[in-house]
Amino acid sequence: GVDVIEAGFAAVSEGELEAVSAIAHAGLRAEVASAGRGTRGDIDAVLKSGASTMSMIIPTSDLHIECKLRKTRDQVLKTTEDCITYAKAHGLIVDLLAEDATRSDFNYLVKVFQTAVDCKVDRVTACDTVGILSPDRSFQFFTDLAEKIKVPVGVHCHNDFGMAVANTIAALGAGATVAHATVNGLGERAGNAALE
């Protein structure tokens, strides 16, 4: 019953690209996605892999924008516009994953997502990158987000404090319609929400 399988990160290495490609060409009923950053090189790697979908990762918190990307908010908006337009023009389904969304300025996060919607993004996903949500906060965050965004909203929770599954369930109750999960909770650090 899984609708989308993120098979890997095609731009990481030739081996990873081959793995994504093998899964993309396996004849599965699910969409096969590749993760990638908001760069043309990463988009081209997804296209080369044959994946139908790109999980496009673009940071939205000021901490990530300033310290990781060394960019401004306006530059991130321009990157969002350029990359989604390019990916859509090449036939990809695009899920914009806002990295560190739960520590982002909420109004700016909405602005990034609205820019994506204007560029015909298929869905947007707010990432709780360092697992700081609680179920109550998750419910309020996704209630507020779902009221403002008119494409499917996804939730991507990390399990740093053991709350990924609870926070995901709360987000679904609040209006998120796409849940990112992993088999046995695999993922960075303490993992992501466990599918089972």
Side-chain angles (χ1 to χ4, degrees):
V2 171
D3 300 301
V4 182
I5 298 169
E6 187 176 284
F9 200 125
V12 166
S13 67
E14 194 60 37
E16 189 85 354
L17 188 144
E18 289 171 10
V20 172
S21 182
I23 296 165
H25 293 95
L28 302 173
R29 288 187 318 227
E31 279 178 36
V32 175
S34 172
R37 296 160 296 190
T39 69
R40 287 212 175 181
D42 280 21
I43 297 165
D44 289 340
V46 174
L47 291 166
K48 185 176 177 184
S49 77
S52 62
T53 303
M54 181 173 186
S55 301
M56 186 181 292
I57 304 163
I58 296 181
T60 56
S61 70
D62 288 331
L63 180 66
H64 281 221
I65 291 169
E66 293 165 13
C67 298
K68 180 177 177 178
L69 298 180
R70 300 190 188 283
K71 292 187 176 184
T72 65
R73 285 183 175 190
D74 286 342
Q75 287 173 311
V76 169
L77 285 172
K78 180 75 170 122
T79 295
T80 301
E81 181 180 345
D82 291 347
C83 288
I84 291 173
T85 300
Y86 181 76
K88 293 301 297 176
H90 287 82
L92 287 173
I93 298 165
V94 179
D95 182 357
L96 175 62
L97 278 64
E99 185 177 18
D100 210 22
T102 56
R103 293 194 299 174
S104 300
D105 174 80
F106 187 78
N107 291 328
Y108 177 70
L109 174 66
V110 169
K111 192 171 185 180
V112 171
F113 280 163
Q114 190 54 56
T115 297
V117 170
D118 293 344
C119 295
K120 310 296 186 212
V121 77
D122 297 279
R123 30 185 197 267
V124 297
T125 297
C127 300
D128 186 26
T129 300
V130 293
I132 62 163
L133 289 178
S134 64
D136 288 347
R137 188 163 173 228
S138 179
F139 187 86
Q140 190 60 58
F141 180 90
F142 283 95
T143 296
D144 295 343
L145 196 56
E147 286 174 359
K148 297 192 177 294
I149 303 300
K150 301 307 175 201
V151 297
V153 172
V155 54
H156 177 106
C157 291
H158 285 262
N159 204 37
D160 299 67
F161 297 102
M163 301 300 290
V165 170
N167 290 336
T168 299
I169 291 169
L172 291 170
T177 58
V178 179
H180 289 203
T182 62
V183 176
N184 297 324
L186 295 173
E188 290 179 335
R189 298 179 316 279
N192 294 96
L195 176 63
E196 68 278 5

